[in-house]
């Protein structure tokens, strides 16, 4: 590498070392970011996105990626920042990143060079904050990202099987930024730059702070000591927090109060476009010698929007990104694809254009005031809200423009679709099936038993059946061999053996097979985790059956994998345990069972098969 190329590398990325600061002529940083992920300068990764955003506002920022939390020197490589340190555990909660649903240690980490595990600590927010406060005494510490966001109040922690305090209390950080942090962090930094003390910053939307008494207008949730001991109080606190999400909330932790300000105002289209137009290198930092699996997964994909209106019980996206979908303009997405098409490594395939759910792009509400007053946690369940404009056609037009870009040969949709929305999005469905499905289309019904789907806040099984029929009819018409990848979950709250038997029978009737089943993992901040801990639906007050037995979980997984020889014995045990031995003939029989669906013809696969379900990375959804 010649001197010019070396200098280009030193200034192409956000500084991570003193040498990179010197190349820019900087003596000190304004803001130091600490991240549990490797540094990939790409808008799909939260810390680099926020760092580029502050850089665009004129601040000098640096990133310490995956520091050794046991070594103070790792946090001092660029000296003492002038304004603050901003800490994130990375794109995933560190405990989810480290452990399986069975609480077994994972052997890999997709956000680390070489996929190696062990580069970040357990409860990374707490560990990093302690290290920073020890190494950089007196510097304000701001915590954020998914781990801080979903642990902002007292929360059930699956890995310790207890209710833990707010991470703001346990970490002793000065402020917590929750949700998508661009506007909140920029406002914090501006106030600090104006000379205001961090202790005075208690009115910024999208933040949480600690005080000795709650604001007069705050909705007071049951306190930590109460929710720790009483599951009914925990359920009440969760329901209040969700239903009063636009108001200031407060929760006592002993003599102190955690105050959560209302969320930030959603970004408008032009603001979102500006974020994705920042000068990202779109590469891992030049110092890495091994590939980073998460980057390889999203390298040729494009984020078209953020937020989700689905409100699925097990999903934290709406609680973190917001229930309002925020979409980029078509021209912004098209320009990003054009940049990708000019990359010397690009081979003509865009692997995904989407967001948390691809066909939510462009969805807007007719009356914003009505949404602000609404207390529903899902805009789609139990039925699609009449205030949503789901037939707008923007998503179909976006895909059409992307596939017309010179140099783009294939455009796929890999981020999942809502089949209940597709019934009202004829243009999108037509374009999707004609141009954007390869051999397999990923769809996530999660279960196919209506009582369980109701607990999950998912559409009824009949809606998935109609989608399967439409997909296969289109494949036959086009003479294409294509299949559906149904993602399913075992062990979710409300999931019984009867639900899993009914789901297995549905799969059998529709000639569907899966090869891997996701096991429910209670993660902080979700409705399903609240139900798992309390056994109560916090909104209805009704009891919910919880699957805690390892044997029951094993039986549930076996039923969803009914076609595998190894599943036969546990399935027979499960059928006997609930008196449904007669269903064994339908599950194991070779004949075709009649149903509303036509059997696939000879040109289509005998069974729709799913590949092994890879660990969900989704760094681009933050």
């Amino acid at each position: 590498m010649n001197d010019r190329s070396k200098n280009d590398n030193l200034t192409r990325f956000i500084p991570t070392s003193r040498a990179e600061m010197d190349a820019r002529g900087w003596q000190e940083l304004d803001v130091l970011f600490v991240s549990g992920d490797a540094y990939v300068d790409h808008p799909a990764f939260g810390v680099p996105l926020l760092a580029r955003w502050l850089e665009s506002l004129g601040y000098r920022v640096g990133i310490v990626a995956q520091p050794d939390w046991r070594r103070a020197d790792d946090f001092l490589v660029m000296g003492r920042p002038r304004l603050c340190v901003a800490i994130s555990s990375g794109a995933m909660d560190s405990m989810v990143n480290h452990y399986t649903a069975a609480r077994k240690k994972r052997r890999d980490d997709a956000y680390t060079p070489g996929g190696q595990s062990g580069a970040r600590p357990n409860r990374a927010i707490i560990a990093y904050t302690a290290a920073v406060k020890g190494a950089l005494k007196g510097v304000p510490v701001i915590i954020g990202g998914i781990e801080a966001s979903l642990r902002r109040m007292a929360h059930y922690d699956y890995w310790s099987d207890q209710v833990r305090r707010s991470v703001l209390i346990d970490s002793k950080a000065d402020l917590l930024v929750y949700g998508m942090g661009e506007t909140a962090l920029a406002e914090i930094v501006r106030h600090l730059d104006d000379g205001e003390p961090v202790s005075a910053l208690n009115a910024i939307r999208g933040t949480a702070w600690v005080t000795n008494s709650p604001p007069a207008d705050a909705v007071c949730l049951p306190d930590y000591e109460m929710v720790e001991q009483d599951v009914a109080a925990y359920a009440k606190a969760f329901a209040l927090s969700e239903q009063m999400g636009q108001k200031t909330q407060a929760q006592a932790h002993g003599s102190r109060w955690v105050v959560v300000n209302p969320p930030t105002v959603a970004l408008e289209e032009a603001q979102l476009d500006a974020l994705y137009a920042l000068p990202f290198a779109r590469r891992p930092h030049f110092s890495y010698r091994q590939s980073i699996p998460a980057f390889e997964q999203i390298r040729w994909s494009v984020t078209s929007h953020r937020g989700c209106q689905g409100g699925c019980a097990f999903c934290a996206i709406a609680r973190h990104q917001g229930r309002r979908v925020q979409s980029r303009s078509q021209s912004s997405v098209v320009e990003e694809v054009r940049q990708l098409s000019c990359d010397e490594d690009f081979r003509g395939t865009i692997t995904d254009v989407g967001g948390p759910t691809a066909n939510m792009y462009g969805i807007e509400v007719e009356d914003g005031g009505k949404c602000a007053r609404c207390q529903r946690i899902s805009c789609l369940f139990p039925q699609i809200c009449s205030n949503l404009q789901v037939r707008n056609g923007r998503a179909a037009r976006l895909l059409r423009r992307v596939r017309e870009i010179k140099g783009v040969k294939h455009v796929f949709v890999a981020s999942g679709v809502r089949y209940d929305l597709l019934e009202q999005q004829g243009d999108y469905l037509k374009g999707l099936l004609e141009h954007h499905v390869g051999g397999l289309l990923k769809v996530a019904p999660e279960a196919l038993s209506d009582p369980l789907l109701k607990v999950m806040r998912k559409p009824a099984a009949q809606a998935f059946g109609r989608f399967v029929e439409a997909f296969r009819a289109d494949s036959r018409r086009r003479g294409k061999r294509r299949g559906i990848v149904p993602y399913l979950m075992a062990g979710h709250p409300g999931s019984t053996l009867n639900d899993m038997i009914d789901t297995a029978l549905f799969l059998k009737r529709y000639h569907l097979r899966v090869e891997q089943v996701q096991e429910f993992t209670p993660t902080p901040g979700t409705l399903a985790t609240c139900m798992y801990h309390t056994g109560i639906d916090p909104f209805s007050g009704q009891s919910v059956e919880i699957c805690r037995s390892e044997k029951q979980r094993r039986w549930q997984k076996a039923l969803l994998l009914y076609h595998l020889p190894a599943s036969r014995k546990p399935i027979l045990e499960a059928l006997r345990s609930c008196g449904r031995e007669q269903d064994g003939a339908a599950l194991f029989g070779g004949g075709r069972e009649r149903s509303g669906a036509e059997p696939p013809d000879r040109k289509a696969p005998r069974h729709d098969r799913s590949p092994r379900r890879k660990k969900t990375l989704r760094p681009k959804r933050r």
Side-chain angles (χ1 to χ4, degrees), residues 30-31 59 82-85 139-142 174-175 185-201 204:
D30 295 320
V31 179
Y59 296 102
R82 184 172 64 91
L83 298 177
C84 65
V85 178
V139 177
V141 175
I142 318 300
D174 295 288
L175 278 176
L185 185 59
E187 190 170 352
I188 290 169
V189 172
R190 179 175 60 81
H191 283 291
L192 293 175
D193 198 21
D194 289 342
E196 297 182 48
V198 69
S199 58
L201 306 184
I204 298 173

Side-chain angles (χ1 to χ4, degrees), residues 304-354:
S304 58
H305 59 287
R306 59 169 61 164
C308 184
Q309 286 139 333
C312 300
F314 49 83
C315 182
I317 290 173
R319 189 168 175 85
H320 181 61
Q321 293 192 9
R323 291 195 187 98
R324 175 183 167 185
V325 170
Q326 302 163 58
S327 301
R328 297 167 62 185
S329 69
Q330 290 187 25
S331 59
S332 172
V333 175
V334 167
E335 178 56 31
E336 184 175 349
V337 174
R338 285 187 176 134
Q339 290 181 31
L340 291 177
S341 69
C342 294
D343 191 295
E344 61 184 6
D345 296 326
F346 184 65
R347 297 294 178 264
T349 299
I350 298 297
T351 57
D352 187 28
V353 177

Side-chain angles (χ1 to χ4, degrees), residues 380-401:
L380 306 184
F381 181 88
Q383 63 276 326
I384 298 173
C385 178
S386 60
N387 199 37
L388 285 185
Q389 299 175 348
V390 300
R391 300 185 182 90
N392 56 35
R394 283 186 64 189
R397 292 192 293 273
L398 174 65
L399 290 178
R400 184 165 56 248
R401 288 192 61 185

